[in-house]
Amino acid sequence: MSDEGKVISFINMKGGVGKTTLTKEIGYHLATVKNLKVLLVDVDPQINLTQSVFRKFGFAPSESIAHSMEKSEETGSYRNIKVTKASIQNILNGNISNQNPTSDYTKAIVDIPNTNLSIIPGEFGLDFTNRNLNGGQLENGLYNFIYKNNLKNKFDYILIDCPPTYSSYTISALKPSDYYIIPVRPEAYSILGVNMLEEVIKQIKNENEVYFRDRSLRNLGIILSGVKENARKGIENLIEDIVSSSVLKDNNIEIFKNRFLYNPSLQSNMAYFITDGRAEKISKPNLNDLTNELLSRIKHMEGEKNE
């Protein structure tokens, strides 16, 4: 397998599927348990990934938010919150010149002290519905930033939390990606989001062929998320419908053997991370197995590519 870092987008055209949670949990596990250098990238206008990382490690995008965080119960009383102006928006709107690597880096990336984890924070309320606004800069910005700053040699994994809709921000996330993962909750109509996504992927690859000439944007598979360990029969029936769907067969999409199991703390506490929690019985081994399967799938696909 190539020593160059891998860029993976977590994406679905349907919201509420656990996309952000999987990005942060797998990313943090890779950084802490696997001791790999990981960069998280938040391109979702809801910025839940950014909020989760910032709350856990004491960062804020402004003085006013820092002040409110210092008083919040979640982060403890009057913590020393660090304010950062780093933002994905600085990359996408052209505020970064790529002429001063040190300055450019700090305008975009926050390195979390004493960890292998870094993040390009999101910007709340990105106008992700407007596909044509400054399209070239917006759609090429992240690709250019990653390659001009040699980030694939600085990080082992770059994980991107994508928006849940087709927009210039989606294109920006997928252009530098080597792989993508589709988180899916077993719900009625969930397969429609997968079908729509595959159409979007095909369109993006066709319209931007030059970006994928030397590397293919490959589907690592579907991760079923938010499933309870002993799921009731109705949920298992929905999962069987997904597994047997013609959409998966026609697009050659596999489903991860390991599901991402339900953990109520992930919904109740934004600063909660499984790896640092007490979930020794279920969530921790589940996350470890899921991450190992992800690494195994990448190794297998890299081997196929190099044959």
Side-chain angles (χ1 to χ4, degrees), residues 172-200:
S172 177
L174 290 173
K175 273 188 176 180
S177 294
D178 302 297
Y179 299 99
Y180 64 101
I181 287 172
I182 311 174
V184 170
R185 286 196 191 277
E187 301 168 340
Y189 303 109
S190 61
I191 204 67
L192 296 181
V194 176
N195 191 42
M196 187 187 304
L197 173 62
E198 286 302 302
E199 292 302 316
V200 165

PDB file of all heavy atoms in Angstrom, residues 172-200:
ATOM      1  N   SER A 172     -16.299  19.970  -3.759  1.00  0.00           N
ATOM      2  CA  SER A 172     -15.032  20.344  -3.121  1.00  0.00           C
ATOM      3  C   SER A 172     -14.502  19.215  -2.249  1.00  0.00           C
ATOM      4  O   SER A 172     -13.294  18.965  -2.212  1.00  0.00           O
ATOM      5  CB  SER A 172     -15.234  21.611  -2.279  1.00  0.00           C
ATOM      6  OG  SER A 172     -14.057  21.954  -1.596  1.00  0.00           O
ATOM      7  N   ALA A 173     -15.390  18.515  -1.548  1.00  0.00           N
ATOM      8  CA  ALA A 173     -14.982  17.418  -0.672  1.00  0.00           C
ATOM      9  C   ALA A 173     -14.545  16.189  -1.462  1.00  0.00           C
ATOM     10  O   ALA A 173     -13.578  15.509  -1.096  1.00  0.00           O
ATOM     11  CB  ALA A 173     -16.126  17.056   0.267  1.00  0.00           C
ATOM     12  N   LEU A 174     -15.250  15.899  -2.541  1.00  0.00           N
ATOM     13  CA  LEU A 174     -14.991  14.658  -3.275  1.00  0.00           C
ATOM     14  C   LEU A 174     -13.795  14.755  -4.230  1.00  0.00           C
ATOM     15  O   LEU A 174     -13.158  13.741  -4.511  1.00  0.00           O
ATOM     16  CB  LEU A 174     -16.242  14.243  -4.045  1.00  0.00           C
ATOM     17  CG  LEU A 174     -17.396  13.746  -3.161  1.00  0.00           C
ATOM     18  CD1 LEU A 174     -18.647  13.510  -4.001  1.00  0.00           C
ATOM     19  CD2 LEU A 174     -17.011  12.474  -2.421  1.00  0.00           C
ATOM     20  N   LYS A 175     -13.482  15.934  -4.722  1.00  0.00           N
ATOM     21  CA  LYS A 175     -12.369  16.066  -5.668  1.00  0.00           C
ATOM     22  C   LYS A 175     -11.040  15.535  -5.127  1.00  0.00           C
ATOM     23  O   LYS A 175     -10.315  14.849  -5.838  1.00  0.00           O
ATOM     24  CB  LYS A 175     -12.218  17.517  -6.125  1.00  0.00           C
ATOM     25  CG  LYS A 175     -13.077  17.868  -7.332  1.00  0.00           C
ATOM     26  CD  LYS A 175     -12.755  19.254  -7.855  1.00  0.00           C
ATOM     27  CE  LYS A 175     -13.545  19.551  -9.118  1.00  0.00           C
ATOM     28  NZ  LYS A 175     -13.255  20.899  -9.649  1.00  0.00           N
ATOM     29  N   PRO A 176     -10.681  15.830  -3.879  1.00  0.00           N
ATOM     30  CA  PRO A 176      -9.409  15.282  -3.378  1.00  0.00           C
ATOM     31  C   PRO A 176      -9.529  13.886  -2.778  1.00  0.00           C
ATOM     32  O   PRO A 176      -8.523  13.318  -2.351  1.00  0.00           O
ATOM     33  CB  PRO A 176      -9.022  16.291  -2.282  1.00  0.00           C
ATOM     34  CG  PRO A 176     -10.329  16.788  -1.771  1.00  0.00           C
ATOM     35  CD  PRO A 176     -11.255  16.807  -2.947  1.00  0.00           C
ATOM     36  N   SER A 177     -10.727  13.318  -2.743  1.00  0.00           N
ATOM     37  CA  SER A 177     -10.940  12.056  -2.033  1.00  0.00           C
ATOM     38  C   SER A 177     -10.472  10.848  -2.836  1.00  0.00           C
ATOM     39  O   SER A 177     -10.668  10.769  -4.052  1.00  0.00           O
ATOM     40  CB  SER A 177     -12.432  11.886  -1.690  1.00  0.00           C
ATOM     41  OG  SER A 177     -12.836  12.861  -0.766  1.00  0.00           O
ATOM     42  N   ASP A 178      -9.861   9.918  -2.136  1.00  0.00           N
ATOM     43  CA  ASP A 178      -9.496   8.629  -2.723  1.00  0.00           C
ATOM     44  C   ASP A 178     -10.636   7.627  -2.564  1.00  0.00           C
ATOM     45  O   ASP A 178     -10.835   6.759  -3.407  1.00  0.00           O
ATOM     46  CB  ASP A 178      -8.247   8.072  -2.032  1.00  0.00           C
ATOM     47  CG  ASP A 178      -7.068   9.019  -2.117  1.00  0.00           C
ATOM     48  OD1 ASP A 178      -6.613   9.280  -3.231  1.00  0.00           O
ATOM     49  OD2 ASP A 178      -6.616   9.498  -1.059  1.00  0.00           O
ATOM     50  N   TYR A 179     -11.360   7.758  -1.459  1.00  0.00           N
ATOM     51  CA  TYR A 179     -12.440   6.833  -1.130  1.00  0.00           C
ATOM     52  C   TYR A 179     -13.618   7.603  -0.544  1.00  0.00           C
ATOM     53  O   TYR A 179     -13.477   8.738  -0.098  1.00  0.00           O
ATOM     54  CB  TYR A 179     -11.970   5.803  -0.084  1.00  0.00           C
ATOM     55  CG  TYR A 179     -10.831   4.934  -0.527  1.00  0.00           C
ATOM     56  CD1 TYR A 179      -9.520   5.225  -0.134  1.00  0.00           C
ATOM     57  CD2 TYR A 179     -11.053   3.819  -1.323  1.00  0.00           C
ATOM     58  CE1 TYR A 179      -8.466   4.420  -0.537  1.00  0.00           C
ATOM     59  CE2 TYR A 179      -9.998   3.008  -1.727  1.00  0.00           C
ATOM     60  CZ  TYR A 179      -8.704   3.310  -1.336  1.00  0.00           C
ATOM     61  OH  TYR A 179      -7.666   2.511  -1.737  1.00  0.00           O
ATOM     62  N   TYR A 180     -14.777   6.937  -0.543  1.00  0.00           N
ATOM     63  CA  TYR A 180     -15.914   7.471   0.202  1.00  0.00           C
ATOM     64  C   TYR A 180     -16.650   6.337   0.887  1.00  0.00           C
ATOM     65  O   TYR A 180     -16.633   5.184   0.437  1.00  0.00           O
ATOM     66  CB  TYR A 180     -16.863   8.286  -0.692  1.00  0.00           C
ATOM     67  CG  TYR A 180     -17.560   7.528  -1.798  1.00  0.00           C
ATOM     68  CD1 TYR A 180     -18.890   7.113  -1.661  1.00  0.00           C
ATOM     69  CD2 TYR A 180     -16.915   7.257  -3.005  1.00  0.00           C
ATOM     70  CE1 TYR A 180     -19.537   6.452  -2.689  1.00  0.00           C
ATOM     71  CE2 TYR A 180     -17.558   6.588  -4.034  1.00  0.00           C
ATOM     72  CZ  TYR A 180     -18.868   6.188  -3.864  1.00  0.00           C
ATOM     73  OH  TYR A 180     -19.510   5.522  -4.893  1.00  0.00           O
ATOM     74  N   ILE A 181     -17.259   6.670   2.021  1.00  0.00           N
ATOM     75  CA  ILE A 181     -18.040   5.732   2.829  1.00  0.00           C
ATOM     76  C   ILE A 181     -19.453   6.275   2.932  1.00  0.00           C
ATOM     77  O   ILE A 181     -19.655   7.484   3.080  1.00  0.00           O
ATOM     78  CB  ILE A 181     -17.425   5.583   4.236  1.00  0.00           C
ATOM     79  CG1 ILE A 181     -16.131   4.776   4.152  1.00  0.00           C
ATOM     80  CG2 ILE A 181     -18.392   4.909   5.203  1.00  0.00           C
ATOM     81  CD1 ILE A 181     -15.361   4.736   5.468  1.00  0.00           C
ATOM     82  N   ILE A 182     -20.443   5.382   2.865  1.00  0.00           N
ATOM     83  CA  ILE A 182     -21.842   5.790   2.943  1.00  0.00           C
ATOM     84  C   ILE A 182     -22.442   5.302   4.259  1.00  0.00           C
ATOM     85  O   ILE A 182     -22.750   4.120   4.412  1.00  0.00           O
ATOM     86  CB  ILE A 182     -22.664   5.212   1.771  1.00  0.00           C
ATOM     87  CG1 ILE A 182     -21.982   5.461   0.434  1.00  0.00           C
ATOM     88  CG2 ILE A 182     -24.078   5.814   1.772  1.00  0.00           C
ATOM     89  CD1 ILE A 182     -22.666   4.794  -0.751  1.00  0.00           C
ATOM     90  N   PRO A 183     -22.596   6.189   5.233  1.00  0.00           N
ATOM     91  CA  PRO A 183     -23.315   5.805   6.449  1.00  0.00           C
ATOM     92  C   PRO A 183     -24.816   5.718   6.159  1.00  0.00           C
ATOM     93  O   PRO A 183     -25.373   6.592   5.487  1.00  0.00           O
ATOM     94  CB  PRO A 183     -23.015   6.949   7.426  1.00  0.00           C
ATOM     95  CG  PRO A 183     -21.883   7.718   6.805  1.00  0.00           C
ATOM     96  CD  PRO A 183     -22.049   7.547   5.333  1.00  0.00           C
ATOM     97  N   VAL A 184     -25.467   4.691   6.659  1.00  0.00           N
ATOM     98  CA  VAL A 184     -26.898   4.482   6.414  1.00  0.00           C
ATOM     99  C   VAL A 184     -27.561   4.004   7.698  1.00  0.00           C
ATOM    100  O   VAL A 184     -27.067   3.074   8.351  1.00  0.00           O
ATOM    101  CB  VAL A 184     -27.126   3.442   5.291  1.00  0.00           C
ATOM    102  CG1 VAL A 184     -28.601   3.052   5.209  1.00  0.00           C
ATOM    103  CG2 VAL A 184     -26.648   3.971   3.948  1.00  0.00           C
ATOM    104  N   ARG A 185     -28.657   4.642   8.051  1.00  0.00           N
ATOM    105  CA  ARG A 185     -29.489   4.114   9.135  1.00  0.00           C
ATOM    106  C   ARG A 185     -30.560   3.215   8.512  1.00  0.00           C
ATOM    107  O   ARG A 185     -31.121   3.556   7.464  1.00  0.00           O
ATOM    108  CB  ARG A 185     -30.155   5.250   9.911  1.00  0.00           C
ATOM    109  CG  ARG A 185     -29.201   6.014  10.816  1.00  0.00           C
ATOM    110  CD  ARG A 185     -29.970   6.840  11.824  1.00  0.00           C
ATOM    111  NE  ARG A 185     -29.117   7.771  12.542  1.00  0.00           N
ATOM    112  CZ  ARG A 185     -28.389   7.459  13.611  1.00  0.00           C
ATOM    113  NH1 ARG A 185     -28.420   6.223  14.078  1.00  0.00           N
ATOM    114  NH2 ARG A 185     -27.642   8.368  14.200  1.00  0.00           N
ATOM    115  N   PRO A 186     -30.846   2.082   9.121  1.00  0.00           N
ATOM    116  CA  PRO A 186     -31.869   1.182   8.573  1.00  0.00           C
ATOM    117  C   PRO A 186     -33.265   1.764   8.774  1.00  0.00           C
ATOM    118  O   PRO A 186     -33.920   1.526   9.788  1.00  0.00           O
ATOM    119  CB  PRO A 186     -31.672  -0.116   9.360  1.00  0.00           C
ATOM    120  CG  PRO A 186     -30.991   0.302  10.620  1.00  0.00           C
ATOM    121  CD  PRO A 186     -30.178   1.508  10.293  1.00  0.00           C
ATOM    122  N   GLU A 187     -33.705   2.545   7.819  1.00  0.00           N
ATOM    123  CA  GLU A 187     -35.004   3.207   7.851  1.00  0.00           C
ATOM    124  C   GLU A 187     -35.681   3.046   6.497  1.00  0.00           C
ATOM    125  O   GLU A 187     -35.025   2.761   5.489  1.00  0.00           O
ATOM    126  CB  GLU A 187     -34.840   4.701   8.157  1.00  0.00           C
ATOM    127  CG  GLU A 187     -34.160   4.997   9.476  1.00  0.00           C
ATOM    128  CD  GLU A 187     -33.759   6.454   9.620  1.00  0.00           C
ATOM    129  OE1 GLU A 187     -33.658   7.158   8.589  1.00  0.00           O
ATOM    130  OE2 GLU A 187     -33.539   6.886  10.762  1.00  0.00           O
ATOM    131  N   ALA A 188     -36.975   3.249   6.485  1.00  0.00           N
ATOM    132  CA  ALA A 188     -37.690   3.247   5.212  1.00  0.00           C
ATOM    133  C   ALA A 188     -37.125   4.341   4.322  1.00  0.00           C
ATOM    134  O   ALA A 188     -36.793   5.432   4.795  1.00  0.00           O
ATOM    135  CB  ALA A 188     -39.184   3.481   5.462  1.00  0.00           C
ATOM    136  N   TYR A 189     -36.973   4.065   3.066  1.00  0.00           N
ATOM    137  CA  TYR A 189     -36.473   4.992   2.046  1.00  0.00           C
ATOM    138  C   TYR A 189     -34.964   5.256   2.136  1.00  0.00           C
ATOM    139  O   TYR A 189     -34.445   6.085   1.398  1.00  0.00           O
ATOM    140  CB  TYR A 189     -37.210   6.343   2.087  1.00  0.00           C
ATOM    141  CG  TYR A 189     -38.707   6.235   1.934  1.00  0.00           C
ATOM    142  CD1 TYR A 189     -39.552   6.481   3.002  1.00  0.00           C
ATOM    143  CD2 TYR A 189     -39.269   5.886   0.703  1.00  0.00           C
ATOM    144  CE1 TYR A 189     -40.925   6.372   2.873  1.00  0.00           C
ATOM    145  CE2 TYR A 189     -40.643   5.776   0.554  1.00  0.00           C
ATOM    146  CZ  TYR A 189     -41.463   6.012   1.641  1.00  0.00           C
ATOM    147  OH  TYR A 189     -42.826   5.902   1.493  1.00  0.00           O
ATOM    148  N   SER A 190     -34.260   4.584   3.055  1.00  0.00           N
ATOM    149  CA  SER A 190     -32.833   4.871   3.194  1.00  0.00           C
ATOM    150  C   SER A 190     -32.053   4.548   1.922  1.00  0.00           C
ATOM    151  O   SER A 190     -31.060   5.205   1.604  1.00  0.00           O
ATOM    152  CB  SER A 190     -32.251   4.100   4.377  1.00  0.00           C
ATOM    153  OG  SER A 190     -32.393   2.707   4.195  1.00  0.00           O
ATOM    154  N   ILE A 191     -32.512   3.546   1.187  1.00  0.00           N
ATOM    155  CA  ILE A 191     -31.796   3.153  -0.030  1.00  0.00           C
ATOM    156  C   ILE A 191     -31.907   4.223  -1.109  1.00  0.00           C
ATOM    157  O   ILE A 191     -31.067   4.301  -2.011  1.00  0.00           O
ATOM    158  CB  ILE A 191     -32.312   1.784  -0.545  1.00  0.00           C
ATOM    159  CG1 ILE A 191     -31.234   1.110  -1.408  1.00  0.00           C
ATOM    160  CG2 ILE A 191     -33.612   1.918  -1.297  1.00  0.00           C
ATOM    161  CD1 ILE A 191     -30.010   0.696  -0.613  1.00  0.00           C
ATOM    162  N   LEU A 192     -32.935   5.076  -1.021  1.00  0.00           N
ATOM    163  CA  LEU A 192     -33.082   6.153  -2.009  1.00  0.00           C
ATOM    164  C   LEU A 192     -31.932   7.138  -1.915  1.00  0.00           C
ATOM    165  O   LEU A 192     -31.463   7.655  -2.925  1.00  0.00           O
ATOM    166  CB  LEU A 192     -34.418   6.879  -1.813  1.00  0.00           C
ATOM    167  CG  LEU A 192     -35.684   6.046  -2.034  1.00  0.00           C
ATOM    168  CD1 LEU A 192     -36.920   6.911  -1.819  1.00  0.00           C
ATOM    169  CD2 LEU A 192     -35.701   5.434  -3.434  1.00  0.00           C
ATOM    170  N   GLY A 193     -31.463   7.415  -0.687  1.00  0.00           N
ATOM    171  CA  GLY A 193     -30.322   8.303  -0.514  1.00  0.00           C
ATOM    172  C   GLY A 193     -29.059   7.723  -1.116  1.00  0.00           C
ATOM    173  O   GLY A 193     -28.233   8.447  -1.691  1.00  0.00           O
ATOM    174  N   VAL A 194     -28.909   6.396  -1.009  1.00  0.00           N
ATOM    175  CA  VAL A 194     -27.745   5.723  -1.588  1.00  0.00           C
ATOM    176  C   VAL A 194     -27.791   5.800  -3.110  1.00  0.00           C
ATOM    177  O   VAL A 194     -26.789   6.098  -3.768  1.00  0.00           O
ATOM    178  CB  VAL A 194     -27.682   4.248  -1.137  1.00  0.00           C
ATOM    179  CG1 VAL A 194     -26.521   3.526  -1.809  1.00  0.00           C
ATOM    180  CG2 VAL A 194     -27.571   4.164   0.376  1.00  0.00           C
ATOM    181  N   ASN A 195     -28.965   5.551  -3.672  1.00  0.00           N
ATOM    182  CA  ASN A 195     -29.123   5.600  -5.120  1.00  0.00           C
ATOM    183  C   ASN A 195     -28.827   7.004  -5.658  1.00  0.00           C
ATOM    184  O   ASN A 195     -28.121   7.177  -6.654  1.00  0.00           O
ATOM    185  CB  ASN A 195     -30.547   5.183  -5.501  1.00  0.00           C
ATOM    186  CG  ASN A 195     -30.706   4.964  -6.990  1.00  0.00           C
ATOM    187  OD1 ASN A 195     -29.841   4.375  -7.630  1.00  0.00           O
ATOM    188  ND2 ASN A 195     -31.804   5.439  -7.552  1.00  0.00           N
ATOM    189  N   MET A 196     -29.355   8.016  -4.968  1.00  0.00           N
ATOM    190  CA  MET A 196     -29.121   9.397  -5.379  1.00  0.00           C
ATOM    191  C   MET A 196     -27.635   9.744  -5.295  1.00  0.00           C
ATOM    192  O   MET A 196     -27.074  10.399  -6.171  1.00  0.00           O
ATOM    193  CB  MET A 196     -29.931  10.347  -4.500  1.00  0.00           C
ATOM    194  CG  MET A 196     -29.877  11.802  -4.950  1.00  0.00           C
ATOM    195  SD  MET A 196     -30.691  12.911  -3.756  1.00  0.00           S
ATOM    196  CE  MET A 196     -32.334  12.160  -3.680  1.00  0.00           C
ATOM    197  N   LEU A 197     -26.984   9.275  -4.219  1.00  0.00           N
ATOM    198  CA  LEU A 197     -25.564   9.553  -4.051  1.00  0.00           C
ATOM    199  C   LEU A 197     -24.743   8.956  -5.182  1.00  0.00           C
ATOM    200  O   LEU A 197     -23.834   9.614  -5.723  1.00  0.00           O
ATOM    201  CB  LEU A 197     -25.067   9.000  -2.710  1.00  0.00           C
ATOM    202  CG  LEU A 197     -23.560   9.071  -2.487  1.00  0.00           C
ATOM    203  CD1 LEU A 197     -23.071  10.516  -2.501  1.00  0.00           C
ATOM    204  CD2 LEU A 197     -23.177   8.390  -1.181  1.00  0.00           C
ATOM    205  N   GLU A 198     -25.039   7.723  -5.556  1.00  0.00           N
ATOM    206  CA  GLU A 198     -24.279   7.086  -6.628  1.00  0.00           C
ATOM    207  C   GLU A 198     -24.428   7.847  -7.947  1.00  0.00           C
ATOM    208  O   GLU A 198     -23.482   7.970  -8.719  1.00  0.00           O
ATOM    209  CB  GLU A 198     -24.712   5.628  -6.788  1.00  0.00           C
ATOM    210  CG  GLU A 198     -24.204   4.718  -5.686  1.00  0.00           C
ATOM    211  CD  GLU A 198     -22.700   4.725  -5.560  1.00  0.00           C
ATOM    212  OE1 GLU A 198     -22.002   4.412  -6.543  1.00  0.00           O
ATOM    213  OE2 GLU A 198     -22.208   5.065  -4.465  1.00  0.00           O
ATOM    214  N   GLU A 199     -25.611   8.400  -8.196  1.00  0.00           N
ATOM    215  CA  GLU A 199     -25.810   9.223  -9.392  1.00  0.00           C
ATOM    216  C   GLU A 199     -24.979  10.493  -9.310  1.00  0.00           C
ATOM    217  O   GLU A 199     -24.388  10.943 -10.296  1.00  0.00           O
ATOM    218  CB  GLU A 199     -27.296   9.568  -9.551  1.00  0.00           C
ATOM    219  CG  GLU A 199     -28.182   8.374  -9.888  1.00  0.00           C
ATOM    220  CD  GLU A 199     -27.753   7.681 -11.168  1.00  0.00           C
ATOM    221  OE1 GLU A 199     -27.451   8.395 -12.160  1.00  0.00           O
ATOM    222  OE2 GLU A 199     -27.707   6.431 -11.177  1.00  0.00           O
ATOM    223  N   VAL A 200     -24.924  11.089  -8.116  1.00  0.00           N
ATOM    224  CA  VAL A 200     -24.124  12.296  -7.903  1.00  0.00           C
ATOM    225  C   VAL A 200     -22.642  11.994  -8.114  1.00  0.00           C
ATOM    226  O   VAL A 200     -21.924  12.758  -8.783  1.00  0.00           O
ATOM    227  CB  VAL A 200     -24.363  12.863  -6.484  1.00  0.00           C
ATOM    228  CG1 VAL A 200     -23.296  13.883  -6.105  1.00  0.00           C
ATOM    229  CG2 VAL A 200     -25.746  13.485  -6.390  1.00  0.00           C
TER     230      VAL A 200
END
